[in-house]
């Protein structure tokens, strides 16, 4: 079953028939052909498999996780694929990443959503752990969903990443997080994450070493 679903996910990806001066990849999600411009000199400017897993989940579970008119923030949006798919599914999306990635992110988001979405997504700078209250004040920023794909890898900002999840997450916010397991140090982040959030496995793909999680804040009022 794992291999069948992974094969279906990977069939959503296609490549240009002719080599162009700008590297790009194509994807089929939410009834649209999505073209993503990439750069090979930066982790955040490449589409990683975790993003495809999350996009496939959003599309195939659009009734259970209805994104229409929901406020969504993607952290570490990279090329913007997840934000684009969420926008095409009706969400009001804020796509965030580091300053040096915003130009390519803005290009991809605009190219693939203009005149196609109920809500035009916005692109905003977010450096994990920095100026969170200034740029995303708790009193006025409320997100129904936080989305993240492959944000845990070999980088020195895991503390800041956890702080960012904590800052953005309200009691009723749902976190959808796709993670590729690599090294023990990074994998230990899951345990630290669970000190703040209740974590459930939605899907597991051993052939990709990727797990898709749903999380919500611990100690919230439960209906």
């Amino acid at each position: 079953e794992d291999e069948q679903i992974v094969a279906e996910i990977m069939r959503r990806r296609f490549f240009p028939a002719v080599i162009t001066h700008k590297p790009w990849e194509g994807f089929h999600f939410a009834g649209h052909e999505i073209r993503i411009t990439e750069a090979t000199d930066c982790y955040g400017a490449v589409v990683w498999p975790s993003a495809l897993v999350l996009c496939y989940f959003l599309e195939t579970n659009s009734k259970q996780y209805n994104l229409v008119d929901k406020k969504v923030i993607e952290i570490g949006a990279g090329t913007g694929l997840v934000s684009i798919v969420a926008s095409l599914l009706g969400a009001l999306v804020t796509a965030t990443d580091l300053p040096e990635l915003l130009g390519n992110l803005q290009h991809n988001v605009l190219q693939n959503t203009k005149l196609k979405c109920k809500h035009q997504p916005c692109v905003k700078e977010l450096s994990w752990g920095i100026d969170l209250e200034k740029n995303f004040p708790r009193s006025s920023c409320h997100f129904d969903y936080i989305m993240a794909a492959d944000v845990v890898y070999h980088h020195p900002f895991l503390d800041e990443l956890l702080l960012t999840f904590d800052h953005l997450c309200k009691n009723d916010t749902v976190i959808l997080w796709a993670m590729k397991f690599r090294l023990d140090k990074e994998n230990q982040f899951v345990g630290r994450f669970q000190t703040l959030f209740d974590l459930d496995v939605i899907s597991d793909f051993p052939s990709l070493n990727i797990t898709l999680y749903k999380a919500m804040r611990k100690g919230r009022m439960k209906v």
Side-chain angles (χ1 to χ4, degrees):
E1 184 180 2
D2 164 49
E3 292 180 355
Q4 290 177 353
I5 297 175
V6 168
E8 169 60 24
I9 292 171
M10 293 308 166
R11 277 196 291 269
R12 302 301 188 93
R13 177 181 230 158
F14 65 92
F15 299 93
V18 179
I19 297 176
T20 61
H21 69 285
K22 280 190 175 182
W24 66 273
E25 291 185 65
F27 303 88
H28 292 288
F29 287 109
H32 289 80
E33 181 177 300
I34 301 167
R35 182 179 292 199
I36 297 293
T37 300
E38 298 182 314
T40 57
D41 59 347
C42 179
Y43 285 125
V46 177
V47 177
W48 298 99
S50 293
L52 274 69
V53 167
L54 184 48
C55 289
Y56 180 81
F57 175 81
L58 295 176
E59 181 189 76
T60 55
N61 293 273
S62 59
K63 290 185 178 179
Q64 183 179 357
Y65 293 86
N66 185 355
L67 297 183
V68 177
D69 298 331
K70 297 295 192 299
K71 292 183 178 179
V72 171
I73 186 169
E74 184 186 5
I75 61 174
T79 60
L81 180 61
V82 171
S83 288
I84 291 164
V85 172
S87 297
L88 293 171
L89 291 170
L92 205 165
V93 176
T94 301
T96 71
D97 215 311
L98 296 169
E100 59 267 26
L101 294 170
L102 295 188
N104 188 57
L105 175 58
Q106 179 70 68
H107 169 78
N108 285 329
V109 167
L110 188 62
Q111 175 177 263
N112 291 286
T113 61
K114 189 175 182 180
L115 303 179
K116 298 177 183 178
C117 297
K118 183 175 183 180
H119 306 286
Q120 185 61 38
C122 73
V123 171
K124 190 170 180 179
E125 176 185 341
L126 173 52
S127 299
W128 297 337
I130 298 176
D131 292 332
L132 293 175
E133 182 59 29
K134 175 183 175 183
N135 297 323
F136 299 90
R138 290 179 185 270
S139 60
S140 59
C141 285
H142 181 281
F143 297 102
D144 299 295
Y145 290 93
I146 299 170
M147 297 187 184
D150 222 1
V151 292
V152 179
Y153 54 90
H154 184 59
H155 63 69
F157 305 109
L158 294 179
D159 289 342
E160 291 82 356
L161 175 59
L162 187 58
L163 182 65
T164 300
F165 273 122
D166 184 40
H167 180 84
L168 295 173
C169 188
K170 297 289 197 296
N171 284 342
D172 58 347
T173 302
V174 175
I175 299 172
L176 296 175
W177 167 31
M179 176 175 173
K180 182 176 178 66
F181 285 81
R182 295 181 175 90
L183 303 173
D184 285 343
K185 179 184 176 183
E186 297 147 30
N187 298 348
Q188 289 170 7
F189 180 84
V190 175
R192 295 177 57 204
F193 186 89
Q194 287 179 288
T195 64
L196 298 176
F197 303 99
D198 293 321
L199 192 64
D200 297 311
V201 174
I202 297 178
S203 302
D204 195 32
F205 302 97
S207 62
L208 294 175
N209 216 22
I210 290 173
T211 300
L212 179 60
Y213 294 108
K214 171 188 174 182
M216 295 188 75
R217 180 176 291 283
K218 282 183 178 291
R220 67 193 182 278
M221 295 291 292
K222 297 182 180 180
V223 179

